[in-house]
Amino acid sequence: MQEIAAFETPLYRPYEYWAYWGDAQLHHNQAIPGWISHPLVTFYRELWEASGGYPHITLNEDSGLFRKMHEFLGSDWLTYPIERADRYMIMRCASLYSHTSIAGGKRPPNTSPGTIEISPRPIQDRLLRHAAEGIIEQHSSASKTSSFKPSPAQEMLGKGWLESVRTRPHLDDRPIESQSVGFGALGRHGRLGYDGKQVIVGGKHVRHALSAHAPSDVKFRVDEGYDGFDTYVAINDDAIGKATSADFFVLVDGEIKGCATNVIPGDPPRRIFVDVEKGQTLELRTQTRRWSHCHSVWLEPTYCCSKPNAQQQRTFIDCLRRAEVSQPEVPEQEVDLCISTVVSPGYEGWLQTFLESLRVNGACKDALIAVVCFGTNSKIDLLIQQYGAIKVSCKSLVNVNMTSKSVLYSMGKIVPAKKYLCFDTDMVVLGSLREVVASLDLFCKSSVLICRDAANISKLGHALTGLYGSDRDSLKSLAGPSAVRCLDFPLVVNDGFFLASRPALNSVDELIRSFPGAVDWIEEKSQAIPWRNQFVFNLALAKLGTAVEIDQSMNWQLNHRSLELDGETGTVRTTSMGTPLKVIHFNGGGRNRYPILREQFHRDSHLESPSQACMATSTVRRAQSKNAECREPRFVICSSLRTGSHMLATAFDQHPKLKVAGEILVRPKLFGLGENKNSPEGELLVINESFQKFNGCIIHRQHLGAIQHLGEMPDLKIIFLRRRNWLAQLVSEIRAHQTNVWHVAPEGVNYLSNDGSSKPEQSPPQLTISVKRCIQFLQDQNRLDLLALKHLSGCARLTVAYEDLQWNWKEAIQEALQFLEIDEVPLAPVTLKQGFPAYQSVANYDEIAHFFSNTRWDVRPVDQMSKWAREPLKTVQ
């Protein structure tokens, strides 16, 4: 109370407190939105009354109460500094019993009948008792002189706040312009409107409520001085067990601004909040497809002042508590269309490709583009500036992973717009989006336009078990018993693309917020199944009944589908039932397919980064912790095809202190490793497992997602293989594809592969290679080299040329052993040279040599090449 008086604030919440997780050392915790802090809060009774007390809900009631208080005070979140010695709460996060700790405890309580002695005792947990006694002692001896000053919240609230407290006006106290109800009379002040019954929801009588049996329409004049309207909606308890449902709509000046659809008896109340600042009339409307027993009620309908004071930063927590979102400075007037996507540092290439393809093909030049950023850097900021987008900054509350993109579900509360078009960043736009955006007007304002998941799962229940690793019991904990009804819902969607109005998207956001166990269910398997947010989105759409399936051409998912490309132009020939494809989704196993398609939109190749947006950094950290136990030294031979990787790896494998694997991502089972699932997560698991068994392995630069993982692993050494004679490399690759012989080694020798031969070719082939193919090959090699070097910039790296191994074997191999800090012992090559020189194998060699003569790509025999080609290849840092 001294602090609340000193700060002259109606609500006091200290910023920090202690947490006990079973260790002798207490942990520092902060009172942030979405995390436990309500036991710390002290407030005046007048604030309780002014904000209307506890909301009439049985779940998250504390959060609801403080949301109402903060809205009344015009603040998003109030905290005040506190000296470490003055922290007065320890949150118990570890305990023997499941009902007395955040982490769930070790065993359930003893509930057997008997006499229980209740008497004060010292804390039984020895570590916790010792920590608490230490804090008490420290507090007693600490100086009572405070070293902090009141926060800006003091000025925001002002010293005379008690005089300004007044109850927010409830609509059941306001004059009614017009009304119509489907049965009985309009009930006000907690009366149901027929048979003398009362409004009861969740077993509680609601004092301030409007009961309007559907279909109904109640109209009011908007009170001056308020900018928001806030309410909860539900079906009265006397209809529980009845087959009915209601759709609730809030209209301002005749336009739908908020909605909650398919509300059924027994559902917890859903919230609707709308902006009424410039409105003249407010209309509450309900509709139903089953009139009987549709006792629709509006709970605690009030006007409010919702906008925060200018001195406070405008932040809020998204519906799945992934991040604290800073609302950007945008025009208060709604824009017609907001196009949104998500990015984090390291994935600028995907962002650049998406934005460029949207600019070239999207035909949405008047749209507001919003880029949600989980962290940023100069490249991301430059792209946002170049494409005229706005940045939405997010402070992640959990490890950034695939679930982070679910912030897009809350875009209706971040940027004011009439329509929202939300994309995963790993998408390429090939056609106009104007038509699909316009088509939204043909559907109800609550509709969400979206594509079916290409896995073609027949119903949501199958997806729950097959894709998301859960069951019916967990579903009940996630969203309540009524969610089981959605298991037979026949539309399972992919959330990489969706289109919705602001009322529809806000309805999805509020419903997800009402799911009591959604956040815990996602975090339960956030590492093994980091896409569970998509099921929550599916469940919300099924429960709302608002999903409208549109053609797959708007989200052609390469994880399950393929493309046919024109070999000359790279144009997509594939159609969806005759409809040209408009959006390509490089999801899952399709991540690195068809690079030529994305390259069409690379204006700045140095920004290319073909990795998954918002990669699961928690998975990377898990990999790093495992790698700490791996064999030493740890190294990767990073190469392109036909650059001598097997020659080097098989030589290293002869060393008494080295154990080396081959191409683990191509043939993991050959080395006793788990299956590669052709996904970034699958590749990381294979790499991790290999370092438990081997010192090193081969990973080709074509596996760009894996290369990025390598760059994030500590103490990893990279041997970067190149080949100066690129034409010989191309010839070797063509012949390997033609003959399916990739390696030549003496009979019985282990050469770390299963696709070789013991007999080299006896005569040179006569290949004709077009100059165009040569140019494409060089472009591909250069692109992959630059990307790999960028991702591996933080690793110790030695660059070795194939020609060094061929002509100066002894010196090259000893240099490599020195780099690995391993004993230098004589090692001999195991594999044999497979083919003939390029000038003997290429029929049109003179044509190619003439075309590239006197350039850095000169392919004439090495003894005739210019001086730079004979010099040792320098390491690029």
Side-chain angles (χ1 to χ4, degrees):
M1 292 307 296
Q2 291 177 344
E3 305 300 327
I4 200 170
F7 285 113
E8 297 182 333
T9 175
L11 183 149
Y12 173 77
R13 178 191 290 110
Y15 180 60
E16 294 175 305
Y17 59 93
W18 299 107
Y20 173 70
W21 288 94
D23 304 324
Q25 187 72 31
L26 294 179
H27 293 247
H28 300 279
N29 267 231
Q30 296 177 344
I32 62 174
W35 187 230
I36 295 171
S37 64
H38 57 271
L40 297 164
V41 182
T42 305
F43 50 86
Y44 280 96
R45 177 180 176 181
E46 288 87 345
L47 177 59
W48 162 281
E49 295 176 346
S51 58
Y54 270 103
H56 295 277
I57 54 177
T58 57
L59 292 170
N60 300 320
E61 60 271 18
D62 291 312
S63 298
L65 170 66
F66 292 126
R67 182 176 63 241
K68 292 169 64 176
M69 288 183 172
H70 284 106
E71 288 174 353
F72 178 81
L73 296 173
S75 164
D76 280 340
W77 192 252
L78 285 178
T79 57
Y80 295 87
I82 187 171
E83 296 285 359
R84 178 172 296 191
D86 291 337
R87 297 181 189 174
Y88 52 86
M89 185 182 87
I90 301 176
M91 180 172 67
R92 190 170 197 163
C93 302
S95 169
L96 289 176
Y97 300 109
S98 59
H99 66 301
T100 58
S101 68
I102 296 300
K106 298 179 180 179
R107 59 175 181 262
N110 181 1
T111 58
S112 58
T115 302
I116 302 174
E117 179 183 356
I118 301 177
S119 60
R121 291 185 181 180
I123 299 173
Q124 297 299 294
D125 187 317
R126 180 179 58 83
L127 291 177
L128 178 57
R129 182 176 69 251
H130 179 75
E133 290 172 352
I135 291 175
I136 294 172
E137 180 179 354
Q138 183 182 12
H139 176 77
S140 300
S141 59
S143 170
K144 299 304 179 183
T145 304
S146 175
S147 61
F148 55 78
K149 298 179 180 180
S151 73
Q154 177 178 343
E155 288 73 28
M156 179 193 77
L157 296 172
K159 297 182 179 181
W161 77 273
L162 286 175
E163 290 74 18
S164 66
V165 169
R166 56 193 178 95
T167 303
R168 297 195 301 182
H170 288 81
L171 257 67
D172 55 350
D173 292 328
R174 315 309 295 168
I176 296 174
E177 293 281 306
S178 63
Q179 60 169 295
S180 65
V181 295
F183 177 80
L186 176 68
R188 304 171 71 175
H189 303 108
R191 293 187 293 272
L192 199 57
Y194 40 85
D195 299 337
K197 295 181 178 180
Q198 294 181 324
V199 174
I200 298 177
V201 176
K204 296 182 178 180
H205 175 237
V206 184
R207 185 175 60 180
H208 284 288
L210 287 168
S211 173
H213 191 295
S216 64
D217 195 303
V218 186
K219 186 179 292 186
F220 301 84
R221 298 293 298 179
V222 175
D223 281 12
E224 294 183 1
Y226 299 96
D227 57 35
F229 169 72
D230 198 2
T231 187
Y232 288 86
V233 298
I235 303 294
N236 201 61
D237 277 3
D238 67 335
I240 290 179
K242 308 297 184 182
T244 189
S245 66
D247 298 334
F248 294 77
F249 299 93
V250 177
L251 293 79
V252 178
D253 293 341
E255 183 178 355
I256 295 175
K257 294 294 187 179
C259 62
T261 57
N262 201 33
V263 179
I264 63 175
D267 273 359
R270 295 192 210 164
R271 187 184 182 219
I272 302 177
F273 176 85
V274 301
D275 188 335
V276 298
E277 184 174 18
K278 298 180 180 180
Q280 300 295 318
T281 62
L282 178 71
E283 192 174 346
L284 309 184
R285 182 181 298 174
T286 63
Q287 297 176 350
T288 183
R289 290 169 292 280
R290 294 187 175 183
W291 170 83
S292 181
H293 303 287
C294 194
H295 304 166
S296 47
V297 293
W298 304 80
L299 312 176
E300 300 287 342
T302 60
Y303 291 118
C304 60
C305 295
S306 63
K307 295 186 177 179
N309 188 286
Q311 294 180 350
Q312 283 221 314
Q313 186 180 16
R314 303 175 65 196
T315 62
F316 84 109
I317 308 299
D318 69 286
C319 60
L320 282 175
R321 303 179 191 173
R322 303 294 91 189
E324 180 180 330
V325 184
S326 297
Q327 292 178 297
E329 293 186 5
V330 294
E332 292 188 6
Q333 185 69 27
E334 285 185 337
V335 297
D336 288 331
L337 176 64
C338 173
I339 298 178
S340 306
T341 191
V342 180
V343 73
S344 61
Y347 313 111
E348 302 86 349
W350 285 111
L351 178 63
Q352 195 270 337
T353 301
F354 169 72
L355 292 176
E356 178 66 7
S357 68
L358 176 65
R359 182 190 69 83
V360 173
N361 297 322
C364 294
K365 64 179 181 179
D366 294 329
L368 175 66
I369 301 174
V371 180
V372 179
C373 298
F374 282 82
T376 189
N377 56 34
S378 59
K379 294 178 182 179
I380 292 177
D381 290 341
L382 179 61
L383 284 170
I384 292 173
Q385 180 182 1
Q386 286 177 339
Y387 287 93
I390 63 169
K391 180 168 73 173
V392 180
S393 299
C394 292
K395 178 182 177 183
S396 187
L397 301 178
V398 296
N399 288 331
V400 178
N401 60 19
M402 293 172 69
T403 66
S404 301
K405 73 169 189 177
S406 61
V407 171
L408 295 180
Y409 306 161
S410 299
M411 281 305 299
K413 297 184 176 180
I414 299 173
V415 176
K418 295 180 179 178
K419 299 175 183 178
Y420 298 86
L421 194 51
C422 298
F423 291 89
D424 280 3
T425 317
D426 56 352
M427 290 181 136
V428 171
V429 179
L430 299 181
S432 171
L433 304 174
R434 186 182 303 156
E435 294 79 8
V436 70
V437 172
S439 71
L440 185 62
D441 295 332
L442 302 176
F443 299 94
C444 177
K445 276 291 184 72
S446 59
S447 299
V448 178
L449 275 56
I450 196 164
C451 295
R452 183 180 295 273
D453 194 291
N456 286 326
I457 298 174
S458 60
K459 57 184 180 180
L460 199 55
H462 292 165
L464 176 66
T465 56
L467 281 181
Y468 303 103
S470 194
D471 52 35
R472 292 169 65 97
D473 290 338
S474 297
L475 178 63
K476 294 177 183 178
S477 299
L478 187 165
S482 65
V484 175
R485 302 182 185 184
C486 298
L487 291 178
D488 290 328
F489 192 71
L491 178 58
V492 180
V493 303
N494 178 277
D495 67 353
F497 167 97
F498 58 89
L499 171 65
S501 68
R502 192 178 193 185
L505 202 52
N506 284 344
S507 179
V508 172
D509 171 277
E510 289 294 348
L511 179 58
I512 291 176
R513 290 177 190 273
S514 74
F515 291 162
V519 175
D520 291 339
W521 184 78
I522 287 174
E523 290 299 314
E524 178 186 52
K525 295 187 177 180
S526 61
Q527 296 182 344
I529 310 176
W531 53 84
R532 277 188 159 190
N533 61 287
Q534 185 169 250
F535 177 82
V536 176
F537 190 70
N538 266 272
L539 181 62
L541 294 181
K543 198 166 178 60
L544 292 168
T546 56
V548 176
E549 182 179 3
I550 59 175
D551 189 79
Q552 294 277 346
S553 60
M554 297 306 303
N555 184 0
W556 192 259
Q557 301 151 49
L558 295 183
N559 191 32
H560 297 283
R561 300 182 182 277
S562 298
L563 293 174
E564 180 185 355
L565 302 181
D566 185 290
E568 295 294 327
T569 65
T571 304
V572 176
R573 294 176 176 173
T574 307
T575 65
S576 173
M577 301 295 288
T579 302
L581 304 187
K582 292 193 174 183
V583 180
I584 307 297
H585 193 177
F586 291 82
N587 61 328
R591 184 73 56 209
N592 297 315
R593 299 171 70 187
Y594 312 109
I596 188 174
L597 186 58
R598 293 192 296 111
E599 288 167 1
Q600 300 175 30
F601 305 102
H602 291 169
R603 294 199 306 178
D604 299 300
S605 61
H606 69 280
L607 292 178
E608 169 73 354
S609 179
S611 307
Q612 181 180 10
C614 288
M615 180 66 65
T617 56
S618 59
T619 305
V620 173
R621 290 176 181 172
R622 184 174 73 251
Q624 293 173 349
S625 65
K626 286 186 176 182
N627 287 339
E629 306 169 2
C630 297
R631 302 169 63 97
E632 297 292 340
R634 295 183 303 125
F635 67 94
V636 167
I637 299 172
C638 179
S639 62
S640 292
L641 295 175
R642 321 310 293 161
T643 56
S645 56
H646 271 76
M647 180 172 22
L648 188 58
T650 52
F652 281 153
D653 197 48
Q654 299 175 74
H655 196 289
K657 293 187 178 181
L658 293 178
K659 187 177 180 182
V660 184
E663 299 171 31
I664 60 171
L665 299 182
V666 177
R667 43 183 68 85
K669 292 184 178 179
L670 184 64
F671 305 101
L673 306 176
E675 183 179 358
N676 178 12
K677 300 295 185 181
N678 292 321
S679 67
E681 294 79 11
E683 290 179 343
L684 181 56
L685 292 174
V686 172
I687 294 170
N688 243 359
E689 186 180 359
S690 75
F691 283 131
Q692 304 299 318
K693 300 179 179 181
F694 303 95
N695 296 95
C697 62
I698 299 170
I699 295 180
H700 290 316
R701 292 193 273 279
Q702 285 83 348
H703 299 283
L704 284 165
I707 297 298
Q708 177 153 359
H709 291 317
L710 299 181
E712 297 169 330
M713 291 182 176
D715 304 321
L716 182 68
K717 293 176 182 275
I718 302 294
I719 296 178
F720 199 88
L721 272 182
R722 280 175 166 173
R723 192 164 181 171
R724 295 191 188 103
N725 194 334
W726 61 267
L727 183 57
Q729 180 184 352
L730 176 57
V731 170
S732 181
E733 181 176 337
I734 292 173
R735 288 298 292 157
H737 281 293
Q738 289 176 345
T739 64
N740 201 31
V741 175
W742 290 82
H743 310 97
V744 177
E747 192 75 30
V749 172
N750 174 24
Y751 57 95
L752 305 180
S753 187
N754 57 1
D755 54 3
S757 170
S758 60
K759 298 180 180 180
E761 287 186 308
Q762 299 303 307
S763 60
Q766 290 299 298
L767 304 174
T768 300
I769 307 174
S770 69
V771 171
K772 181 178 181 180
R773 183 167 185 181
C774 292
I775 294 173
Q776 183 63 57
F777 176 81
L778 289 170
Q779 289 175 339
D780 290 343
Q781 292 298 308
N782 187 58
R783 179 179 62 86
L784 292 173
D785 286 358
L786 290 174
L787 287 171
L789 288 170
K790 186 186 77 168
H791 292 320
L792 300 173
S793 60
C795 298
R797 190 173 69 254
L798 173 70
T799 302
V800 178
Y802 173 91
E803 288 77 8
D804 293 336
L805 297 175
Q806 185 179 11
W807 297 327
N808 302 297
W809 171 264
K810 183 178 178 180
E811 293 78 8
I813 203 72
Q814 296 307 311
E815 183 183 11
L817 292 176
Q818 291 175 9
F819 172 71
L820 296 179
E821 299 179 285
I822 201 79
D823 295 341
E824 297 180 32
V825 299
L827 299 176
V830 172
T831 57
L832 305 175
K833 182 171 175 57
Q834 187 169 343
F836 291 83
Y839 64 86
Q840 295 179 354
S841 304
V842 180
N844 60 328
Y845 177 84
D846 290 338
E847 175 191 6
I848 296 173
H850 176 73
F851 185 88
F852 290 99
S853 62
N854 298 318
T855 72
R856 64 167 303 196
W857 308 116
D858 197 327
V859 296
R860 291 171 295 179
V862 174
D863 59 343
Q864 298 179 23
M865 295 174 71
S866 54
K867 184 174 182 293
W868 70 266
R870 294 195 296 269
E871 294 176 346
L873 193 61
K874 297 181 180 179
T875 299
V876 179
Q877 296 295 344

